PDB file of all heavy atoms in Angstrom:
ATOM      1  N   THR A   5     140.915  75.491  60.873  1.00  0.00           N
ATOM      2  CA  THR A   5     140.774  74.574  59.766  1.00  0.00           C
ATOM      3  C   THR A   5     142.129  73.861  59.563  1.00  0.00           C
ATOM      4  O   THR A   5     143.168  74.500  59.433  1.00  0.00           O
ATOM      5  CB  THR A   5     140.442  75.328  58.488  1.00  0.00           C
ATOM      6  OG1 THR A   5     139.205  76.017  58.701  1.00  0.00           O
ATOM      7  CG2 THR A   5     140.204  74.342  57.326  1.00  0.00           C
ATOM      8  N   GLY A  45     130.356  89.829  59.018  1.00  0.00           N
ATOM      9  CA  GLY A  45     131.321  89.019  59.734  1.00  0.00           C
ATOM     10  C   GLY A  45     132.227  89.815  60.630  1.00  0.00           C
ATOM     11  O   GLY A  45     132.052  90.995  60.813  1.00  0.00           O
ATOM     12  N   THR A  59     134.169  88.733  42.231  1.00  0.00           N
ATOM     13  CA  THR A  59     133.945  89.749  41.197  1.00  0.00           C
ATOM     14  C   THR A  59     135.044  89.914  40.207  1.00  0.00           C
ATOM     15  O   THR A  59     134.901  90.603  39.178  1.00  0.00           O
ATOM     16  CB  THR A  59     133.661  91.088  41.782  1.00  0.00           C
ATOM     17  OG1 THR A  59     134.778  91.522  42.573  1.00  0.00           O
ATOM     18  CG2 THR A  59     132.456  91.062  42.765  1.00  0.00           C
ATOM     19  N   ARG A  65     130.025  96.388  34.431  1.00  0.00           N
ATOM     20  CA  ARG A  65     128.774  97.132  34.117  1.00  0.00           C
ATOM     21  C   ARG A  65     127.569  96.537  34.880  1.00  0.00           C
ATOM     22  O   ARG A  65     126.654  97.284  35.220  1.00  0.00           O
ATOM     23  CB  ARG A  65     128.532  97.163  32.600  1.00  0.00           C
ATOM     24  CG  ARG A  65     129.487  97.959  31.801  1.00  0.00           C
ATOM     25  CD  ARG A  65     129.084  97.954  30.355  1.00  0.00           C
ATOM     26  NE  ARG A  65     129.964  98.761  29.508  1.00  0.00           N
ATOM     27  CZ  ARG A  65     129.869  98.931  28.190  1.00  0.00           C
ATOM     28  NH1 ARG A  65     128.868  98.314  27.554  1.00  0.00           N
ATOM     29  NH2 ARG A  65     130.728  99.674  27.519  1.00  0.00           N
ATOM     30  N   ALA A 162     148.977  92.158  61.792  1.00  0.00           N
ATOM     31  CA  ALA A 162     149.578  92.211  60.495  1.00  0.00           C
ATOM     32  C   ALA A 162     149.072  93.426  59.701  1.00  0.00           C
ATOM     33  O   ALA A 162     149.859  94.066  58.982  1.00  0.00           O
ATOM     34  CB  ALA A 162     149.217  90.919  59.636  1.00  0.00           C
ATOM     35  N   SER A 174     140.576 101.258  61.701  1.00  0.00           N
ATOM     36  CA  SER A 174     139.559 102.201  62.158  1.00  0.00           C
ATOM     37  C   SER A 174     139.461 102.030  63.688  1.00  0.00           C
ATOM     38  O   SER A 174     139.798 101.047  64.271  1.00  0.00           O
ATOM     39  CB  SER A 174     138.188 101.968  61.503  1.00  0.00           C
ATOM     40  OG  SER A 174     137.596 100.789  62.004  1.00  0.00           O
ATOM     41  N   ASN A 223     129.138  77.371  47.418  1.00  0.00           N
ATOM     42  CA  ASN A 223     127.781  77.445  48.045  1.00  0.00           C
ATOM     43  C   ASN A 223     126.876  78.361  47.253  1.00  0.00           C
ATOM     44  O   ASN A 223     125.744  78.096  46.958  1.00  0.00           O
ATOM     45  CB  ASN A 223     127.916  77.861  49.512  1.00  0.00           C
ATOM     46  CG  ASN A 223     126.550  77.946  50.197  1.00  0.00           C
ATOM     47  OD1 ASN A 223     125.935  79.023  50.154  1.00  0.00           O
ATOM     48  ND2 ASN A 223     126.131  76.850  50.809  1.00  0.00           N
ATOM     49  N   TYR A 230     121.465  78.226  36.444  1.00  0.00           N
ATOM     50  CA  TYR A 230     122.011  78.814  35.258  1.00  0.00           C
ATOM     51  C   TYR A 230     122.431  77.711  34.306  1.00  0.00           C
ATOM     52  O   TYR A 230     122.712  76.552  34.755  1.00  0.00           O
ATOM     53  CB  TYR A 230     123.223  79.687  35.544  1.00  0.00           C
ATOM     54  CG  TYR A 230     124.378  79.053  36.225  1.00  0.00           C
ATOM     55  CD1 TYR A 230     125.443  78.482  35.512  1.00  0.00           C
ATOM     56  CD2 TYR A 230     124.411  78.995  37.675  1.00  0.00           C
ATOM     57  CE1 TYR A 230     126.496  77.920  36.177  1.00  0.00           C
ATOM     58  CE2 TYR A 230     125.527  78.389  38.273  1.00  0.00           C
ATOM     59  CZ  TYR A 230     126.563  77.872  37.539  1.00  0.00           C
ATOM     60  OH  TYR A 230     127.597  77.248  38.201  1.00  0.00           O
TER      61      TYR A 230
END
Side-chain angles (χ1 to χ4, degrees):
T5 303
T59 62
R65 291 184 179 179
S174 72
N223 180 271
Y230 59 92

